[in-house]
Amino acid sequence: MSSFAKALSPAVREIRILCCQTGAASAGTRQFITSHYPTLKQHNPDLPILIRQAKGTPARVFARFERGQEKHVEVEGLSSLDVASRISQLLSSP
């Protein structure tokens, strides 16, 4: 949680979070969204943070950086804390 209590690098242009709205494997991702999204958005109000939920979608997080570079991490089956850790690693390595 504290890792998201600051503004992200200006190199981060967009964050997309994909998950299943009912699947057990996406439960940690959904919990991450409910607990960390407000803080993340509060400290980065102009950063687009897209949340896409669709039945059967594996939980993944994509980050788009400057010059169109894009990276992603798989967060399927992880706890909320593990999801936060993986996203922190993703956003710190453009």
Side-chain angles (χ1 to χ4, degrees):
M1 178 165 64
S2 62
S3 63
F4 298 111
K6 60 182 167 97
L8 297 174
S9 165
V12 179
R13 301 300 169 110
E14 176 184 272
I15 299 171
R16 286 188 317 271
I17 303 172
L18 285 70
C19 64
C20 178
Q21 68 265 43
T22 58
S26 291
T29 304
R30 291 191 305 271
Q31 181 61 37
F32 169 83
I33 292 167
T34 58
S35 60
H36 290 80
Y37 175 83
T39 303
L40 188 58
K41 195 61 179 176
Q42 177 184 3
H43 293 284
N44 302 280
D46 297 327
L47 178 67
I49 303 173
L50 310 171
I51 299 169
R52 302 289 183 249
Q53 294 182 342
K55 187 171 183 163
T57 300
R60 290 180 274 176
V61 179
F62 291 82
R64 187 169 49 85
F65 299 94
E66 56 191 3
R67 298 185 184 155
Q69 182 183 17
E70 192 167 291
K71 293 185 178 184
H72 80 280
V73 292
E74 302 288 330
V75 292
E76 185 83 1
L78 299 179
S79 70
S80 178
L81 292 175
D82 292 336
V83 171
S85 174
R86 296 289 298 271
I87 292 175
S88 292
Q89 291 172 1
L90 173 68
L91 297 178
S92 67
S93 63

